[in-house]
Amino acid sequence: MAHFDPNAKPFSHQWMNDRLAVDTLKRVLSTEYWIPKNINFLWAMGMILAATFGVLLISGIFLLMYYIPDTQLAFDSVNHTIMGEVGYGWLWRHMHGVAASVVFLIIYIHMFTGIYYGSYKRGRELIWLSGMLLFVTFSAEAFSGYMLPWGQMSYWAGMVITNLFSLGSLDFQGLVEWIRGDYVPGQAFLGRFFMLHVVLLPLAIMGLIVLHFGTLRIPHVNNQDGEEIDFEAEAEKWKAGLRKESKVIPFNPVFMSKDVFVLGIYFIIYFYLVFYHFEFAMDPVNFDPADPLKTPPHIYPEWYFLWSYEILRPFPKDPGLVAFGFAQVIFFLLPFLDRSPNVAPANRRGPFKIWFWVLLVDMIVLTIMGKVPPMGIYTTIGTIAAWVFILLWVALPFITKMEKPIRGQK
Amino acid sequence: MKELKILAVVVFFTLVTYWGVEPYAHSVMHKHVEFKNFQYEDLKPITAKGDAAKGQALAAACAGCHSIKGAKMPAPMDPVTASATYGVNPPDLTLAGAVLDEKYLAHFLKDPVHTAMVAHKFKDKPYPMPSMATDDQSAADLVAYFKSIAPEEVTPKEAYEFACGRCHEMRYAKWTQIGEEPKTKPNIQTKMDEEKLKFDQKLAQYKDHMVKYLGKLPPDLSIIVRARSEDFLKTFVEDPQSQLPGTAMPRVGVSKEGYEKVFQYLEEVGDPSKPKREAVGPWVIGYFILFTFLAYLWYKSQWKGLK
C-alpha cells in the first residue's frame, strides 16, 4: 500500500509525487536519461521528426474543420474554402503539404544515419524495427492524405496503387474492389481513405512513436564511434561533477539545448519553404479536379515513393511486383542481414563503406528515374539501378560476414 | 568543423535529389516551347493607316452578331440563343481595341479562321465569324475604330471576361460563361431556389451548345495558375497549337499588355494568398531566426566545458 501524506496540499509537489511519482518520471525520462556526448547534429533528427509530426497534427486539425470528404465537394473545400475563404487556411494547408514532404526527407536522413553508424545492432534491433514500422505507417498516412483533395493525381494515383493489389497475373480483382469499395475510386474510396488519414493511421503512428522511444530507453542512443559505453559508470561521473570526463550528458537540459538549436535552424528552412517555395510539395497536376474520363499524361507518386516505384516499373508485371514487394520489406531485415558484429561508422567497415554509399546513390538514381517518363536511356538506367538495389541486398550478408572485427570490439 | 562537413554531405545529396525530381524531371516531361512575347511574327505587319470614322461605318455590320456596349449597341440575342446559333456567344467588342494585339486584330478581320488557328476544326463546316475586311485598308479602319472606342483603363477582370470568359468559367469568382452567378436565395418555405434553377438551366443549355461546338467543355480557370506553370500559360495562350496540337482553343490574339491583365486576374482568383504570404512570411522567419539565436546561446551555455 502506497503512502499518501494526508497533510499534502492538493497539487503540491508532495501530493503529485505520491500519486504520480513525478520526480521519478522526470529522472528516468529526462534529467537522468543519458545520451552519449560524442554525437553530431544528425542525432537531432528524431526530435525534428517529432516536431514535424506535431506540425502535421496541428495543421491537420485545422484543415479538418473545413475539409469535406465528398467527391463532389472535396476539391473545392480544399482549393476554395481553405485556400481562399478561411482566414489563414492557406497557411495551414501549405504547412501541412510542405511538412508532409519534408518529413520524408528527414526520415530518410534519420534512416541513413542509422545505417551509416550501425545503430540497428547490438541491442538496438527493436529500435530499427519500430522505426521501420513508423516508416510504413507514415507512407500509408502520406498516401491516404494525398487522396483527399480529390484532384487528378489523387484519383489516378489511387487507381494505380490500389490496382497493385490485384497481384499481377493472380488477377485478384475482387480484392481491389473490396479495397476501393467500388469498381473505381469513388465516394466509398474517398470516405475510407479519409478515415484512415485522420483517425486510424495517426493513432497507429502515435502508438508507434511511443514504442520507438521505448525501444530506445534501454539500449540507449548510439554514438559517432559506435563505442560501447557503460552508461551507469559514466552517469556516476557526471553526477560527481566530472562533466568534462564523463562520456554522457543528460537528455534534459544538455542534449535538449542542442536539439532545440538544430530544430530552430530546421524551422527557418521549413518556413522558408512554406512561404516561398512550396511548389515542390504540391504537384500542379493535383490542382486539376479528378476526372475519370481523362488520364494525365504522366502519373507519378510523390518524390519519397519514387525509388520503390522505379523498382516496380522496369520489370514485366509479375517480376516487377515481386521486386516491389522485396523493396518494401527488405529494410526491415537489415539488422539480420548485416552479419558483422562491428558497430562503427560505415567508413571504418571496409566493404560495407562501399555498400553504404552505393546504396545511397542508387536510391537517388532510382528516385530520379522514377519520375522521368520510362523511355530510352531512362529505362536502361532505371533497370540497372533496380538490379543494383536487389543485388546490394543479396550481397549484404556475404560482405558483412567477411568483414574483419574492428580492434577493441567484440 | 566535422559537423559542417557532415552537413555539406547531407545538403549535397538533398539538392541532387531535388534537382532530379523537380527541375530536371519537369524539363523532360514538358516540351519546351519558345515564348515569342506576343509578337505574332507569322502575321505580316499592316502598313495601311486606319481611319476610325470609316471604321465606324464598317462596324455597323459587326452589330448583326456582336454587342458593342461602348458604342451603345446592344446584343442582338441573349447568350443562350447566340450559342445555339454560333456555338459560343460572340464577344462584346468594346474591349477589342484594348486587349487584343493590333496586328492580330487586323488579320483576324480579314481571315478569321486562319488567324485564330482553328482551320483544323472547320474543314467541313463554316467558321461562324466571317471575313469582315477585304483589304488591309478596311481592316486598319476597323482597328482604328475599335481602338477609338476602347476605354483608357481595362480592369484585369474585364480583360478576362472579354478574352476567356465566354468559354471558360471561373467558379471561385462566381463567373459562368453566361455572366456572373446571380445572387439568389432559396424560398424559405419550399427550400427551392427558383431563380438559381432558371439560371442553371440556361447555363446547362449554353454548355450543351458549347460542347457540341468545341468537342468538350473548356476547363474552369479558377486555379489554373496552380495547375499550369506560368511559362505554359503564356506560350499556350500565344499559340495553343504549340502546346496542345489539335486543341479547339483558338489563338485569341491578346497583346502583351492584354495578357498581363488576364494573367493578373487568374492569379488574383487562383492564388489569393500571395500577398498574405509575402506579408506574413518575413515575420515568421524572423521569429525563428531569433528563436534559433537564443537556442544557440542556451546550447553554448549548456555545453560549456563539456569537451
Side-chain angles (χ1 to χ4, degrees), chain A residues 238-271:
Chain A
W238 177 274
K239 285 198 248 177
L242 300 168
R243 291 162 61 99
K244 194 170 178 150
E245 291 73 12
S246 176
K247 287 179 180 172
V248 298
I249 48 173
F251 177 81
N252 185 27
V254 184
F255 177 72
M256 278 290 279
S257 69
K258 185 169 179 181
D259 260 16
V260 170
F261 167 58
V262 178
L263 201 59
I265 293 176
Y266 165 76
F267 273 128
I268 294 173
I269 300 168
Y270 166 72
F271 278 106

Side-chain angles (χ1 to χ4, degrees), chain A residues 37 40-42 75-76 79-80 83-84 88 90 94 105 109 117 224 238 243-244 249 253-258 260-261 264-265 267-268 271-272 275-278 280 282-284 287-289 294 298 300 303 306 357 360-361 364 367-368 371-373 375 378, chain B residues 2-4 6-7 9-10 13-14 16-22 24-26 28-30 171-174 216 223-224 226-229 270-273 276-278 280-282 284-285 288-289 291-293 295-296 298-307:
Chain A
K37 198 188 280 175
N40 58 50
F41 75 91
L42 290 172
F75 186 84
D76 289 351
N79 289 303
H80 185 44
M83 292 299 288
Y88 293 100
W90 56 272
H94 282 186
L105 174 66
I109 294 173
Y117 291 104
Q224 278 196 96
W238 177 274
R243 291 162 61 99
K244 194 170 178 150
I249 48 173
V254 184
F255 177 72
M256 278 290 279
S257 69
K258 185 169 179 181
V260 170
F261 167 58
I265 293 176
F267 273 128
I268 294 173
F271 278 106
Y272 163 75
F275 284 102
Y276 303 104
H277 204 86
F278 47 83
F280 77 97
M282 319 193 91
D283 199 278
F287 285 89
D288 281 330
K294 186 179 156 198
H298 305 286
Y300 43 82
W303 71 269
L306 288 168
W357 292 107
L360 176 62
V361 171
I364 291 174
T367 298
I368 298 171
K371 183 126 179 196
V372 295
M375 54 186 196
Y378 301 128
Chain B
K2 193 176 174 190
E3 295 209 72
L4 288 180
I6 297 170
L7 182 63
V9 171
V10 172
F13 284 112
T14 304
V16 168
T17 310
Y18 168 75
W19 170 82
V21 297
E22 281 294 308
Y24 179 68
H26 285 285
V28 174
M29 279 187 281
H30 307 298
R171 62 188 190 282
Y172 294 176
K174 303 207 185 309
K216 74 186 277 283
I223 50 167
I224 201 73
R226 298 291 301 258
R228 302 287 182 280
S229 70
D271 190 11
S273 68
K276 294 174 205 153
R277 286 198 303 270
E278 281 158 9
V280 178
V284 174
I285 291 171
F288 276 101
I289 289 173
F291 175 95
T292 307
F293 175 69
Y296 180 75
W298 185 39
Y299 160 51
K300 279 291 156 192
S301 77
Q302 288 292 339
W303 283 65
K304 206 168 157 188
L306 285 194
K307 281 189 178 171

